[in-house]
Amino acid sequence: MLDFNSLAEFSRTNCVSICAFLVPANLLTTLLTMIFAALRRPSYQVWQSAIIACLFAVVMILHVYTWFMIGIVMIPTYILLWLAFTCLVCNVGSILFHRRNSDVPIFQR
């Protein structure tokens, strides 16, 4: 069984390496989703990219909340939280943009 306390401690112990992976991963996958939507790629490609980007953003939000749980409230925690929420909003916006500007009828999406 997965112990939440040990998982949160792992997240806090390896914060630099986790953030070093999650920040570029969030930015690149969100950018890829926006590019796919702007280039009118097929829906499954936009959705696949958005799901991966949202997964990275949710992991970052959970990582930041492990710091909030122990009372560490600093500028970097708010910056990372803002970045994750911004990536989530951009991905949802890219999906809506793609749905609105797609030439495919709604029943074939």
Side-chain angles (χ1 to χ4, degrees):
M1 180 135 195
L2 189 60
D3 183 25
F4 181 72
N5 289 329
S6 61
L7 188 62
E9 188 62 35
F10 174 81
S11 175
R12 289 188 295 269
T13 303
N14 299 310
C15 181
V16 173
S17 58
I18 289 172
C19 290
F21 170 75
L22 284 178
V23 169
N26 267 321
L27 294 174
L28 290 175
T29 53
T30 300
L31 180 65
L32 187 65
T33 304
M34 291 189 295
I35 289 171
F36 281 171
L39 294 178
R40 296 184 179 169
R41 301 295 298 168
S43 293
Y44 73 90
Q45 288 181 347
V46 175
W47 275 93
Q48 185 178 22
S49 178
I51 288 171
I52 293 169
C54 288
L55 179 70
F56 287 143
V58 167
V59 169
M60 183 177 286
I61 290 170
L62 293 174
H63 172 66
V64 169
Y65 280 147
T66 63
W67 285 103
F68 285 153
M69 285 179 4
I70 63 169
I72 304 294
V73 179
M74 297 176 8
I75 298 280
T77 54
Y78 287 116
I79 291 171
L80 291 173
L81 194 61
W82 172 80
L83 174 70
F85 281 126
T86 303
C87 288
L88 284 174
V89 169
C90 287
N91 284 302
V92 170
S94 295
I95 290 171
L96 294 175
F97 175 81
H98 185 265
R99 287 185 70 111
R100 180 166 286 269
N101 294 329
S102 180
D103 295 332
V104 179
I106 196 159
F107 57 86
Q108 291 183 356
R109 291 184 192 162

